[in-house]
């Protein structure tokens, strides 16, 4: 059983910062929580990272704007935050991997590719 990870494909795409409606849509629906608002809107580190990591692998079909437009449409189709809330999974509490996995599966109808990684000693983050 082989797992193929579509990330960091070549050539590395050039990221162009967003402005206008797309910036506002991304800022409203794909919040960059790790950064202060002014810095996040100006530098767009989360979106740049995601595009260079995952968008690089579909750049022949989806350039930057279509890639993010598709991501926003998929977000509307699979509203994971609402799904998690429906399953009583809310920020600020701890849950098992299986709890989150099962909740996501109810909306995707397939086994989600979820993994945890250790971000600091003893602290894990869901990927």
């Amino acid at each position: 059983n082989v797992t193929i990870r579509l990330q960091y494909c070549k050539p590395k795409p050039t990221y162009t910062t967003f402005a206008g409606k797309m910036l506002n849509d991304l800022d409203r629906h794909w919040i960059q929580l790790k950064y202060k608002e002014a810095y996040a809107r100006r530098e767009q580190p989360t979106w740049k990272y995601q595009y260079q990591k995952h968008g690089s692998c579909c750049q022949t079909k989806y350039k930057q704007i279509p890639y993010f437009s598709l991501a926003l449409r998929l977000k509307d189709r699979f509203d994971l935050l609402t799904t998690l809330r429906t399953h009583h999974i809310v920020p600020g509490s701890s849950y098992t991997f299986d709890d989150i996995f099962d909740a996501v599966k109810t909306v995707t109808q397939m086994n989600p590719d979820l993994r945890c990684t250790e971000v600091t000693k003893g602290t894990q983050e869901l990927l």
Side-chain angles (χ1 to χ4, degrees):
N1 194 5
V2 176
T3 300
I4 299 172
R5 303 250 184 254
L6 294 177
Q7 56 189 19
Y8 299 115
C9 297
K10 303 289 183 204
K12 181 178 178 180
T14 301
Y15 179 86
T16 304
T17 55
F18 287 109
K21 182 178 179 345
M22 181 61 85
L23 171 61
N24 292 333
D25 287 348
L26 283 168
D27 198 41
R28 184 171 46 256
H29 300 289
W30 194 340
I31 301 167
Q32 302 178 86
L33 293 173
K34 290 185 177 182
Y35 307 99
K36 293 187 185 262
E37 184 178 6
Y39 175 82
R41 286 180 63 90
R42 183 181 64 249
E43 299 298 325
Q44 304 172 10
T46 299
W47 308 327
K48 179 178 182 179
Y49 169 78
Q50 290 300 323
Y51 184 62
Q52 290 178 337
K53 182 176 181 179
H54 300 293
S56 62
C57 298
C58 62
Q59 60 187 316
T60 57
K61 186 166 183 166
Y62 296 104
K63 297 296 184 201
Q64 183 175 325
I65 290 175
Y67 174 82
F68 282 97
S69 294
L70 176 60
L72 290 174
R73 284 195 312 276
L74 288 172
K75 180 252 177 230
D76 288 339
R77 184 173 170 203
F78 300 109
D79 188 349
L80 295 178
L81 292 177
T82 298
T83 298
L84 293 173
R85 284 188 201 109
T86 299
H87 288 85
H88 308 289
I89 298 171
V90 295
S93 298
S94 296
Y95 303 93
T96 68
F97 181 85
D98 289 338
D99 289 341
I100 296 170
F101 183 94
D102 292 343
V104 172
K105 188 175 178 177
T106 64
V107 74
T108 63
Q109 301 301 308
M110 56 187 348
N111 291 336
D113 182 17
L114 301 177
R115 293 172 281 122
C116 291
T117 185
E118 190 167 72
V119 288
T120 59
K121 188 169 178 78
T123 304
Q124 292 194 339
E125 184 176 87
L126 185 65
L127 294 177

